[in-house]
Amino acid sequence: MPSSSQTSVGSGALSHAYIQNPSLRCNVPESRGLFYDDANRLLICVTSSQVFSWETATFNPDVSPSVDSIPEGPILSIRFSLDKKAIAVQRSDCEIQFFHRETKQTLTHKCRAGSESILGFFWSDSPLCDLAVVKTSGMDLFACDSAMNLRLVETKKVNVNWYIYTHESRLVLLASGLQCKTITGFQLSTAGVVRLPKFEMTLATTESNSKPIISPGDVHLITVYGRIYCLQVDMEAMLLHTYRFYRDAVVQQGSLPIYSSKLSVSVVDNLLLVHQIDAKVVIIYDLFVDSRAPVSAPLPLLWRGYQGSDTSSQQENEGTESSTSNENIVMYEEAWTFLVPDLILDQTNKVLWRVHLDLEAISASSSDRSSLLEFLQRRKLEANKAKQLCLGIARTLILERRPATQVTQAIDVLVTAYSYSVKAGIYKELKNEKTTATTPTNDGASPDNERGRASGSSIDEEEVEMNLPSGSADEQQESQLSSPAISPDELYKFVFASVEEAMVEESDYLVAIITEFLRSISAEKLKVDLNIYVMTVRLLAHSKRFAELSLFTTNKIIEPSKEVALQLLESGGQNLRVRKLGLDMLRQLSLHHEYISSLVQDGYYLEALRYAQKRKVTSVRSSLFLEAAFASNDMQHLAAILRVLSELIPGFKETSEYYTFHGLLNETSSSVAV
């Protein structure tokens, strides 16, 4: 079944969305049609007596299809049961047949011929029913046992012209009325069956068409960011109306312009892709933001040959047609069927494509860096690529010396996104006490911008949204591993540390940015890599801003730590006040050994010895004091230290150190009494 084409010849045109080899190919002789089972994510090919099915979730073209035998007959639609033990086939507008895959048992369900017609059916994981059959007279809900016996549970009486359903949303919309604009909705989820308020779709009229009719192809159900939307084409107004579903309300939320007499939609990584079929371009929208402006400029949907994972090196084809060894691809041809959420079924070539996004191309075409970072932080399918792009953008902003306010705004976006990920449990914050410290906080932490953003809904904020099925444990674990969130530690390592050498001569600029970064970290009550404080000390000392360094340390903008104290001591070689700040920090942190060693290094060995005596510090070698006193050539100090050590350390006079330095003392100055 794999596509035999592994290369393409293209013009290298820019695209924001593309289809790519390998596709899933259906090379089944005597194929009578291709179907897609969205509940089980199966590509289905039928012959007169066989059913071939391929898993599309993994999109592996090397996997062989499952094959089932069924009796001959017409096939209007076909779906596997959710446990995949049975196959249901609609034979006509009044008959559905069920086939048990193991026992080969067959069951037929019919409606009242002449008085009603079957429009379609779908399987459900609702506790109320297993199967829903949509008819012109309404919707029948059935329970189905292991022997495939159907028991009618409930009937929803509605005059129905057509319906649409997606398993992703568990939502079915039933259209009625002369113009098919009166919509009744039901959600059949694991929480039960919820009836939505009936609502009217918007339709513009013209003199030539005073009563336009909505067809099933004009309505699309999509799910983005856990929200369920209905998109409705209004061709007379050349608008795509958007409706958002809540438990107790359906709210129209603006419209998007249409530039083609034919269009379809896809959803990739929570982004809405509107395919303007006549114009052969894709327009990408992010419904998360209030603005209905597109994410980027309209560009063609391109086909890319398979060349491994490096999409930047892949050749593209922007033309209306490109040939490979076994297939002739005509972009947006009549035989294309767009499937929820991101698949395209090419009936002519009998292949299934998946739509992809090119995040690098989208990033390259965006001039608003902060909005772009927010956009990338919402991406999940290619989280690592989004993360690397964010880090690259942050580095570039600094290296290009963009205004500090612009850089700060970008950093705030990344910090806020990480904070939200930690609070939501998507990203687990690592706590390493050796490399992190809690930043000063106040009780008024800034609110979560992700959740605090207005949804644009006019209904009460307490309105409960439609329930979506919760993912499996594996899916939840996968979501934790697919976060583009960037931790403060990563911001330090891959942004600030990587630009420090290049920015060392403009340390004032970098310090200003780091200061705002620390403010943002503090507001979100996050932990920060201590090395960022060390870097700040180093930068301030390099620019000889000693007064400011003292102020940063005193006011704890720079958090005290052993690493910071040692950097202050090192930088204090140019300024005694700064070195004293380092000494004071060691003493405040009760780092006795480091404090005493630093005092001895500065020649204050008597003070160091008195400190050790007062604090009863025994971890410092006595030879440290003796060697320092002897090196100073002050024999009175050496004698004093020998006397204090003898009093402080029991048995010290019996040690080799005492005999060595006592002998040196006698040789150098016999007049000094010990």
Side-chain angles (χ1 to χ4, degrees), residues 17-34:
Y18 61 93
I19 56 176
Q20 173 183 320
N21 269 336
S23 60
L24 293 184
R25 176 179 295 281
C26 171
N27 289 322
V28 176
E30 301 179 0
S31 169
R32 294 174 56 181
L34 294 176

Side-chain angles (χ1 to χ4, degrees), residues 162-369:
W162 51 259
Y163 82 100
I164 61 170
Y165 171 81
T166 66
H167 187 76
E168 181 182 40
S169 65
R170 309 305 203 268
L171 186 64
V172 58
L173 298 183
L174 311 176
S176 58
L178 294 176
Q179 295 178 267
C180 302
K181 67 177 184 177
T182 302
I183 305 298
T184 303
F186 297 93
Q187 189 184 40
L188 286 72
S189 71
T190 53
V193 178
V194 178
R195 180 168 186 151
L196 276 70
K198 186 180 294 186
F199 69 100
E200 298 278 326
M201 289 188 172
T202 301
L203 273 178
T205 60
T206 61
E207 290 184 3
S208 60
N209 191 359
S210 60
K211 289 189 176 181
I213 298 174
I214 300 175
S215 68
D218 293 332
V219 181
H220 307 272
L221 271 175
I222 64 168
T223 304
V224 292
Y225 300 108
R227 308 168 181 172
I228 304 175
Y229 291 89
C230 174
L231 308 178
Q232 174 234 328
V233 176
D234 187 348
M235 199 53 66
E236 298 298 327
M238 294 299 286
L239 292 173
L240 182 65
H241 303 304
T242 64
Y243 305 84
R244 184 174 171 188
F245 292 99
Y246 296 81
R247 183 174 296 278
D248 299 320
V250 180
V251 182
Q252 186 172 350
Q253 294 198 315
S255 304
L256 305 173
I258 293 175
Y259 306 100
S260 172
S261 61
K262 294 181 181 179
L263 63 81
S264 194
V265 302
S266 301
V267 173
V268 181
D269 202 4
N270 286 313
L271 295 174
L272 171 63
L273 280 62
V274 180
H275 302 271
Q276 312 280 346
I277 294 175
D278 291 342
K280 289 184 167 56
V281 296
V282 183
I283 304 180
I284 303 173
Y285 296 94
D286 189 349
L287 299 183
F288 182 88
V289 297
D290 295 333
S291 170
R292 287 297 178 258
V295 170
S296 53
L299 285 175
L301 175 73
L302 301 185
W303 175 80
R304 293 180 175 179
Y306 177 64
Q307 296 183 3
S309 60
D310 186 4
T311 58
S312 64
S313 66
Q314 291 175 338
Q315 293 174 305
E316 300 174 352
N317 176 46
E318 72 165 331
T320 59
E321 184 173 322
S322 69
S323 296
T324 66
S325 58
N326 277 339
E327 62 188 277
N328 198 32
I329 303 172
V330 179
M331 306 303 285
Y332 292 118
E333 69 169 15
E334 291 290 335
W336 275 22
T337 303
F338 292 82
L339 305 171
V340 176
D342 59 354
L343 300 175
I344 298 174
L345 182 57
D346 184 343
Q347 297 277 5
T348 299
N349 295 297
K350 294 182 171 56
V351 296
L352 186 72
W353 303 101
R354 172 158 281 142
V355 182
H356 301 269
L357 291 176
D358 190 333
L359 293 181
E360 292 180 42
I362 294 173
S363 298
S365 64
S366 175
S367 58
D368 187 341
R369 302 283 93 179

